[in-house]
Amino acid sequence: MSSEQTSTSPDTTGPRPRRLTYAAALVALEGLTLVVGGVWMLVLGITGEPDDRQQAVTGGVTLILLALLPLIAARGLLGRRGWSRGPAVITQLMALPVAYTLLKADSVAIPAGIALAVVAVTALVLLLNPETTRALGIRGPGNAGK
């Protein structure tokens, strides 16, 4: 049995695939957006006159903490770490219901829902692409012994 057949390490030979880089960029963009939204809520909660100051501060801190998942996943994708695809995919799956909710709103949130849906679907397509899977060293079901 050759080491190529038993290896689960990512394919780090050559340059990083563009699809993987694009997926990492989209996941990082989502994480940065969450950080910006969290800081905005936190600042408004502290300096403004929210209906409930505690709820605004808690919401801001929660968004900032939630941003860690996509940011860490994006860093892992750039480093070709196989574990990073799971959190990145989970982030996209969590973003789709949020996008749907924004699209159902009768307000200026509709364009944000469209943008979020486009980013989430595009990132999912890039993350599930066979080239990305190979670059991350991920093998599909039934390929554990190959």
Side-chain angles (χ1 to χ4, degrees):
M1 213 182 270
S2 72
S3 63
E4 180 180 278
Q5 292 173 332
T6 60
S7 174
T8 59
S9 62
D11 178 17
T12 57
T13 58
R16 180 177 40 247
R18 286 185 304 164
R19 288 180 177 101
L20 182 57
T21 304
Y22 296 156
L26 289 174
V27 172
L29 175 68
E30 289 173 330
L32 291 173
T33 303
L34 283 170
V35 168
V36 168
V39 169
W40 179 72
M41 281 181 72
L42 194 58
V43 168
L44 283 180
I46 293 171
T47 63
E49 293 294 324
D51 293 339
D52 185 354
R53 185 177 310 274
Q54 182 178 1
Q55 186 176 9
V57 170
T58 302
V61 170
T62 301
L63 283 180
I64 292 170
L65 291 175
L66 283 174
L68 291 176
L69 181 67
L71 291 174
I72 292 170
R75 182 173 167 93
L77 290 171
L78 288 175
R80 294 186 183 183
R81 306 287 190 260
W83 59 262
S84 61
R85 188 175 81 159
V89 169
I90 289 169
T91 300
Q92 306 320 308
L93 293 176
M94 290 180 357
L96 290 173
V98 174
Y100 179 77
T101 302
L102 292 172
L103 288 171
K104 297 298 280 183
D106 189 26
S107 66
V108 295
I110 293 173
I114 293 169
L116 181 57
V118 167
V119 168
V121 169
T122 303
L124 275 172
V125 168
L126 292 170
L127 288 166
L128 299 176
N129 184 279
E131 183 180 339
T132 302
T133 302
R134 271 192 306 280
L136 294 173
I138 298 171
R139 291 187 269 183
N143 293 329
K146 295 182 180 179

